[in-house]
Amino acid sequence: ESKGMIGNIYSMGLALQALEASRDFYAPRDWDCAQAFAVVTNHTFELPMAIAQLLPALVGTSYLDAATLNCDAPTDLCSSLQTHRIPRGMMIQPGASHTPQESQDITVHYSIINKLQGTPFHYNISVTVPGDSTLLEVLERAEKKDPENFSFKTEQTFWGPMVVSIHGLAASENDRTYWQFRSSGKPLDEGVGSYRPKHSEHIQAIFSTY
């Protein structure tokens, strides 16, 4: 139903590790991980944490086996699940480099919404950024264009920068509140430092509770 996605793109690495390690503890059935691996092979992972969690599943082993790995031997993807070798698209040949391509500017519509705490507010802005910009760069452009309404703060985490305050309204563990980013009504599956909006996409930052 989720077309191979297990949770979200951040949880895929751990989910694939769990399926590999626990497959013998559940009712026996054929497990076809082709869809799940299609998700990860079609996605560009930039965060070291996400890559580190995904690597064990890609090589069909765990970090506990690192001391006994034979690096000269051919490695199969998810070997015990009878899948295929690591797709060429995921491997970078030695000496190869990616030449950045020029991208056209795009317009992103951005809204911040608070109906949860204090005085409600709802501000909208449209910003123009290079086509390969991250959502964090969109936020920075919005702040530069209208700092009175779109100022924000971030904290660095293992998963990249996390927005903890917008328009002076800070998330709180005690109040169980946070800023959730959505597109087309659905939460984004990446953080602001990785997600790259499309042209004319409408991103909403909604003050939420969990």
Side-chain angles (χ1 to χ4, degrees), residues 116-117 170-179 207-210:
L116 186 65
Q117 193 175 94
S172 169
E173 291 186 2
N174 292 333
D175 295 334
R176 301 172 65 86
T177 54
Y178 70 108
W179 282 99
F207 198 60
S208 307
T209 187
Y210 60 89

Side-chain angles (χ1 to χ4, degrees), residues 83-208:
T83 55
H84 305 289
R85 293 183 185 277
I86 297 177
R88 290 181 179 271
M90 293 198 68
M91 303 298 292
I92 299 177
Q93 299 299 324
S97 62
H98 294 287
T99 302
Q101 299 180 349
E102 293 184 2
S103 59
Q104 295 182 343
D105 288 350
I106 61 172
T107 298
V108 179
H109 309 292
Y110 173 49
S111 301
I112 56 174
I113 303 169
N114 165 47
K115 298 180 180 179
L116 186 65
Q117 193 175 94
T119 304
F121 58 80
H122 185 165
Y123 297 108
N124 301 299
I125 194 172
S126 295
V127 297
T128 300
V129 294
D132 60 350
S133 297
T134 63
L135 179 54
L136 180 61
E137 292 171 305
V138 171
L139 269 61
E140 291 171 343
R141 186 64 60 90
E143 181 180 41
K144 183 176 181 180
K145 189 174 181 180
D146 184 0
E148 183 176 349
N149 292 319
F150 290 93
S151 63
F152 71 99
K153 295 180 180 179
T154 63
E155 288 183 358
Q156 194 62 33
T157 74
F158 287 119
W159 293 101
M162 178 177 67
V163 174
V164 296
S165 176
I166 298 177
H167 191 61
L169 182 58
S172 169
E173 291 186 2
N174 292 333
D175 295 334
R176 301 172 65 86
T177 54
Y178 70 108
W179 282 99
Q180 183 183 69
F181 288 86
R182 302 179 187 176
S183 177
S184 300
K186 297 181 179 179
L188 301 185
D189 58 8
E190 293 181 280
V192 296
S194 302
Y195 187 80
R196 300 181 187 277
K198 300 178 179 63
H199 178 58
S200 295
E201 186 171 0
H202 185 190
I203 302 294
Q204 294 180 312
I206 302 176
F207 198 60
S208 307

